[in-house]
Short mmCIF file of all heavy atoms in Angstrom, two decimals:
data_model
loop_
_atom_site.label_atom_id
_atom_site.label_comp_id
_atom_site.label_asym_id
_atom_site.label_seq_id
_atom_site.Cartn_x
_atom_site.Cartn_y
_atom_site.Cartn_z
N SER A 38 -0.20 -8.25 8.75
CA SER A 38 0.74 -7.08 8.76
C SER A 38 0.41 -6.31 7.53
O SER A 38 -0.07 -6.81 6.49
CB SER A 38 2.22 -7.59 8.71
OG SER A 38 2.45 -8.33 7.52
N VAL A 39 0.62 -5.00 7.61
CA VAL A 39 0.25 -4.01 6.60
C VAL A 39 1.58 -3.34 6.04
O VAL A 39 1.75 -3.20 4.88
CB VAL A 39 -0.68 -2.95 7.11
CG1 VAL A 39 -0.93 -1.90 6.03
CG2 VAL A 39 -2.05 -3.59 7.47
N SER A 40 2.49 -2.92 7.04
CA SER A 40 3.62 -2.04 6.67
C SER A 40 4.73 -2.21 7.50
O SER A 40 4.48 -2.41 8.72
CB SER A 40 3.15 -0.57 6.63
OG SER A 40 4.26 0.30 6.43
N LEU A 41 5.93 -2.17 7.02
CA LEU A 41 7.20 -2.24 7.83
C LEU A 41 7.51 -0.91 8.35
O LEU A 41 8.05 -0.77 9.44
CB LEU A 41 8.29 -2.94 7.04
CG LEU A 41 9.58 -3.19 7.84
CD1 LEU A 41 9.29 -4.06 9.07
CD2 LEU A 41 10.61 -3.79 6.93
N ASN A 42 7.41 0.20 7.50
CA ASN A 42 7.71 1.59 7.86
C ASN A 42 6.71 2.49 7.43
O ASN A 42 6.58 2.85 6.27
CB ASN A 42 9.04 1.88 7.22
CG ASN A 42 9.63 3.19 7.72
OD1 ASN A 42 9.22 3.69 8.72
ND2 ASN A 42 10.52 3.71 7.05
N PRO A 43 5.84 2.91 8.37
CA PRO A 43 5.83 2.52 9.77
C PRO A 43 5.33 1.16 10.02
O PRO A 43 4.58 0.61 9.16
CB PRO A 43 4.92 3.61 10.44
CG PRO A 43 3.92 3.97 9.37
CD PRO A 43 4.73 3.81 8.07
N LYS A 44 5.52 0.62 11.14
CA LYS A 44 5.05 -0.75 11.51
C LYS A 44 3.55 -0.64 11.74
O LYS A 44 3.17 -0.13 12.79
CB LYS A 44 5.81 -1.26 12.65
CG LYS A 44 7.32 -1.53 12.28
CD LYS A 44 8.10 -1.84 13.53
CE LYS A 44 9.56 -2.10 13.15
NZ LYS A 44 10.14 -0.93 12.42
N LEU A 45 2.78 -1.34 10.89
CA LEU A 45 1.30 -1.31 10.93
C LEU A 45 0.72 -2.69 10.79
O LEU A 45 1.33 -3.49 9.98
CB LEU A 45 0.77 -0.40 9.86
CG LEU A 45 1.08 1.01 9.80
CD1 LEU A 45 0.52 1.70 8.53
CD2 LEU A 45 0.62 1.77 11.07
N VAL A 46 -0.34 -3.01 11.48
CA VAL A 46 -1.07 -4.30 11.35
C VAL A 46 -2.56 -3.97 11.17
O VAL A 46 -2.99 -2.79 11.41
CB VAL A 46 -0.84 -5.16 12.63
CG1 VAL A 46 0.55 -5.58 12.70
CG2 VAL A 46 -1.44 -4.58 13.83
N ASN A 115 -4.43 3.62 14.33
CA ASN A 115 -3.93 4.64 13.38
C ASN A 115 -5.06 5.17 12.51
O ASN A 115 -5.11 6.25 12.26
CB ASN A 115 -2.76 3.99 12.61
CG ASN A 115 -2.27 4.93 11.55
OD1 ASN A 115 -2.86 4.94 10.44
ND2 ASN A 115 -1.18 5.60 11.87
N ILE A 127 -6.51 -0.30 11.56
CA ILE A 127 -5.17 -0.28 11.38
C ILE A 127 -4.46 0.11 12.56
O ILE A 127 -4.69 1.22 13.14
CB ILE A 127 -4.72 0.79 10.21
CG1 ILE A 127 -5.55 0.59 8.94
CG2 ILE A 127 -3.20 0.76 9.90
CD1 ILE A 127 -5.16 -0.66 8.21
N GLY A 128 -3.57 -0.67 13.06
CA GLY A 128 -2.92 -0.42 14.38
C GLY A 128 -1.48 -0.12 14.09
O GLY A 128 -0.71 -0.77 13.39
N GLU A 129 -1.02 1.03 14.72
CA GLU A 129 0.49 1.33 14.66
C GLU A 129 1.15 0.60 15.91
O GLU A 129 0.78 0.72 17.06
CB GLU A 129 0.73 2.76 14.80
CG GLU A 129 2.17 3.14 14.75
CD GLU A 129 2.47 4.61 14.58
OE1 GLU A 129 1.51 5.46 14.62
OE2 GLU A 129 3.62 5.03 14.44
N VAL A 130 2.03 -0.32 15.58
CA VAL A 130 2.69 -1.04 16.63
C VAL A 130 3.60 -0.25 17.41
O VAL A 130 4.51 0.42 16.91
CB VAL A 130 3.50 -2.22 15.88
CG1 VAL A 130 4.19 -3.11 16.97
CG2 VAL A 130 2.52 -3.19 15.14
#
Side-chain angles (χ1 to χ4, degrees):
S38 63
V39 174
S40 170
L41 187 58
N42 188 15
K44 292 169 182 57
L45 301 173
V46 297
N115 175 278
I127 307 291
E129 183 170 3
V130 177

